[in-house]
């Protein structure tokens, strides 16, 4: 994928500078701040240097520990451009945060919104050319942060169709695969998340042209996003998006029902 370690944004630089300012004013080193916020000194340093996107728990803890009088909390609300998100994906990620509905079909990897930390790590460690440790950590943090959407926006609908073969690949090994399925099962337990598995044996398949993502904006416009080896392509043309919607609707009828998909995943989990 392109832009593996995108440059930091002004908002991230500003937030990092504020953390350093309040930490210094409090008379704390990064090592002393570590146990107070539950982050390692290396992580604190990465945040202060705008190389890592701070998660919500860090912002809340730093706000309280450093007695920032609401400054860090306010700055945290305006952060953008996560270092772990490829530059060409950021616009779509922003649309995801406001979508009324998000539909995803994937035939290559488990969708990022459903990946366990172990699976994400195995996927990033498989990249060619190889990523640095820092790049891998940045991307894992960004991926897990995005997954809060499923829980933070219970009124939004999330539908995923995933090829069965992806679960049989055992990316990362048996232990990672067990953790992955457990992670997917926990997402399925959410009322606003629906997962369907496309069986390996299927004589007709409406998704043979490849993976797709679709979302409905707050003003009820549907958009599509297709991702390839080195970039992504946003589609807003209503006729083109209409074709994608038809294909996704057809695949919903071709995939296993949500109930049968749940049973299959539990069986695959038991076989590991």
């Amino acid at each position: 994928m392109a832009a593996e370690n995108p440059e930091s944004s002004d908002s991230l630089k500003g937030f990092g500078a504020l953390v350093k300012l309040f930490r210094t004013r409090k008379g704390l080193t990064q090592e002393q701040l570590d146990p107070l916020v539950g982050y390692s000194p290396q992580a604190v340093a990465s945040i202060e240097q705008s190389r890592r996107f701070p998660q919500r728990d860090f912002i809340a803890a730093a706000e309280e520990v450093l007695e920032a009088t609401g400054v860090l909390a306010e700055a945290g609300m305006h952060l953008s451009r996560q270092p772990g998100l490829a530059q060409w994906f950021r616009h779509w990620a922003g649309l995801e945060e406001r979508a009324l509905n998000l539909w995803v079909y994937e035939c290559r990897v488990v969708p990022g919104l459903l990946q366990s930390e172990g699976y994400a790590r195995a996927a990033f460690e498989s990249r060619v050319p190889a990523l640095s440790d820092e790049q891998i950590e940045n991307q894992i943090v960004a991926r897990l942060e995005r997954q809060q959407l499923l829980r933070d926006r219970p009124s939004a609908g999330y539908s995923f169709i995933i090829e069965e073969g992806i679960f049989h690949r055992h990316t990362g090994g048996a232990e990672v695969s067990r953790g992955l399925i457990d992670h997917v099962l926990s997402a399925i337990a959410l009322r606003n998340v629906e997962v369907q598995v496309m069986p390996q044996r299927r004589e007709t398949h409406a998704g043979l042209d490849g993976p797709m993502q679709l979302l409905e904006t707050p003003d009820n416009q549907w958009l599509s996003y297709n991702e390839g080896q080195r970039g992504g392509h946003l589609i807003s043309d209503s006729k083109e998006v209409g074709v994608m919607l038809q294909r996704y609707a057809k695949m919903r009828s071709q995939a296993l029902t949500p109930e049968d998909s749940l049973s299959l995943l539990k069986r695959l989990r038991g076989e590991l």
Side-chain angles (χ1 to χ4, degrees), residues 101-136:
N101 287 285
L102 177 67
W103 299 352
V104 180
Y105 163 64
E106 190 48 87
C107 57
R108 305 164 303 181
V109 294
V110 171
L113 288 172
L114 296 178
Q115 291 183 9
S116 65
E117 180 176 350
Y119 182 90
R121 186 176 299 279
F124 289 132
E125 289 179 348
S126 297
R127 286 282 178 81
V128 177
L131 303 179
S132 68
D133 290 344
E134 181 181 326
Q135 289 173 324
I136 290 173

Side-chain angles (χ1 to χ4, degrees), residues 4-61:
E4 298 295 0
N5 192 24
E7 73 277 8
S8 174
S9 67
D10 289 341
S11 61
L12 281 174
K13 291 178 181 177
F15 182 85
L18 285 171
V19 172
K20 183 177 181 179
L21 174 66
F22 280 105
R23 174 179 60 76
T24 304
R25 192 179 70 173
K26 195 75 172 174
L28 298 172
T29 65
Q30 291 175 346
E31 289 76 11
Q32 291 170 328
L33 181 60
D34 161 33
L36 301 177
V37 295
Y39 275 61
S40 69
Q42 293 80 10
V44 172
S46 293
I47 290 172
E48 289 187 358
Q49 296 165 17
S50 71
R51 292 185 288 107
R52 176 169 179 168
F53 192 89
Q55 295 192 24
R56 293 179 180 86
D57 60 345
F58 176 87
I59 297 173

Side-chain angles (χ1 to χ4, degrees), residues 55 58 65 74 84 87 104 106 114 133 167 170 184-185 190 196 201 206 224 265:
Q55 295 192 24
F58 176 87
V65 169
E74 179 67 20
Q87 189 169 6
V104 180
E106 190 48 87
L114 296 178
D133 290 344
F167 295 101
H170 294 176
V184 174
L185 292 176
L190 301 172
Q196 292 180 258
R201 293 192 177 186
S224 178
L265 290 173

